Amino acid sequence: MGGYTIKRLIAFCSGSLFGVGLLLSGMTDTSKVQGWLDFFGNWDPTLAFVMGGAMIPMFLAWRVSKGRKPIYAENFPAEPQSNINRDLILGSALFGVGWGLAGLCPGPAIASLIFGGSQSALFVLAMLLGMRLTPQIRSQISSSSAT
Amino acid sequence: METDWIMGLVGGLMIGLAASLYLLGNGRIMGASGIIGGLVDKSEWSSAADRIVFLIGLMLAPSIFIFIFDFEADTKATTNVIILILAGLLVGFGTRLANGCTSGHGVCGISRLSIRGIASTIFYISAGAVTVALLRNLWGAIQ
């Protein structure tokens, strides 16, 4: 198998594992997500365990990556800039509002596309449209705030 | 349910392993919004095949799992069309503007101790919490 084939196999396995993990953990259940966000009401702590569980392997993976190269790529993603800018704050806040409204974020929305019926389909369509329009809207915000 | 936190932890570990595999194998950050967004706006067309294959796995595997193990799955999502569309637009636009979502900024960013990942997570969780509080108390829209 060539490197490209193996890369695709890794991508497929990773996506599959991610999907089943989201399903088992309850991330595709909007009532659990909204229950976790309900800090001022009947708070459901499950998602803290999901986040915590996901951090453990990833924390180790980042450690392992130090001073090494990925198996099937040239280099690891560059250390991100540390600046917290307007796009990060505004984007994260708007995302949070949408997440709270429907209880779905991008990964679980795709993971539930087949079993989630018309609700998941509609949400994903709107999400794709939002993503598609982002470059245009972003340049509009930038030009209007520059003047 | 008492077993919810165990399932959360097990599922979370699987999510973390998936992200580790993607990072150590392909040298990429497993961020759902970035993987989808790079296809939607064609900004990262060179790696389109890997992204598509990732998304196919993400879409198929849970349903195959449900079928094989007779797993009970229900998103319990609202049937309110306006809320679904508005939420989808906000999630799509917001995650692309912020350059990450729960998986990219949350799982991959925080575990790397990235300031941007930590800040983003604080902002989206806070905004989500306020939104849920308003939904429950003002509109009574969700149970």
Side-chain angles (χ1 to χ4, degrees):
Chain A
M1 280 196 291
Y4 281 108
T5 315
I6 298 174
K7 269 186 96 164
R8 265 151 227 175
L9 198 64
I10 289 174
F12 183 76
C13 291
S14 172
S16 302
L17 198 58
F18 182 36
V20 175
L22 288 171
L23 174 75
L24 288 181
S25 64
M27 289 288 288
T28 55
D29 179 344
T30 61
S31 69
K32 289 216 83 66
V33 174
Q34 289 177 321
W36 188 71
L37 288 171
D38 197 10
F39 294 102
F40 313 108
N42 190 16
W43 189 57
D44 178 343
T46 308
L47 255 71
F49 289 95
V50 183
M51 282 295 240
M55 299 284 174
I56 299 167
M58 255 327 261
F59 183 75
L60 296 174
W62 281 121
R63 282 260 160 138
V64 170
S65 78
K66 288 243 171 7
R68 291 194 178 84
K69 285 171 84 173
I71 309 171
Y72 295 104
E74 281 310 303
N75 31 41
F76 283 110
E79 197 76 51
Q81 303 148 324
S82 58
N83 60 328
I84 298 167
N85 54 22
R86 187 204 56 199
D87 282 1
L88 185 83
I89 297 171
L90 181 64
S92 302
L94 292 176
F95 161 46
V97 173
W99 195 36
L101 276 177
L104 284 169
C105 53
I110 300 286
S112 67
L113 208 43
I114 294 177
F115 68 84
S118 55
Q119 291 111 302
S120 289
L122 191 61
F123 179 90
V124 167
L125 276 179
M127 180 178 83
L128 294 178
L129 181 66
M131 289 179 167
R132 184 75 188 77
L133 296 174
T134 305
Q136 288 96 308
I137 302 174
R138 183 193 273 143
S139 61
Q140 287 230 318
I141 310 174
S142 302
S143 61
S144 64
S145 62
T147 50
Chain B
M1 251 201 304
E2 292 160 21
T3 57
D4 278 9
W5 69 271
I6 301 174
M7 293 294 268
L9 194 61
V10 170
L13 284 168
M14 290 174 76
I15 296 168
L17 282 175
S20 306
L21 180 66
Y22 206 51
L23 179 75
L24 298 177
N26 291 5
R28 302 198 74 102
I29 298 213
M30 192 197 75
S33 62
I35 292 172
I36 307 162
L39 287 172
V40 174
D41 61 19
K42 298 197 174 126
S43 58
E44 296 193 57
W45 204 238
S46 57
S47 55
D50 286 0
R51 290 156 190 270
I52 291 168
V53 164
F54 178 92
L55 293 173
I56 290 172
L58 175 58
M59 213 175 349
L60 286 182
S63 289
I64 293 171
F65 186 92
I66 290 167
F67 181 74
I68 293 177
F69 296 98
D70 212 8
F71 191 81
E72 212 174 309
D74 183 359
T75 61
K76 302 187 188 119
T78 176
T79 50
N80 185 320
V81 173
I82 295 166
I83 288 187
L84 283 171
I85 293 176
L86 182 65
L89 286 171
L90 287 169
V91 169
F93 175 66
T95 54
R96 288 305 278 161
L97 191 67
N99 213 10
C101 57
T102 336
S103 44
H105 277 317
V107 175
C108 300
I110 295 180
S111 61
R112 194 184 200 180
L113 305 177
S114 150
I115 300 296
R116 278 172 59 88
I118 294 166
S120 170
T121 304
I122 291 171
F123 282 110
Y124 67 70
I125 287 178
S126 307
V130 170
T131 306
V132 166
L134 289 175
L135 271 181
R136 288 223 207 278
N137 298 317
L138 289 185
W139 295 340
I142 45 181
Q143 311 80 349

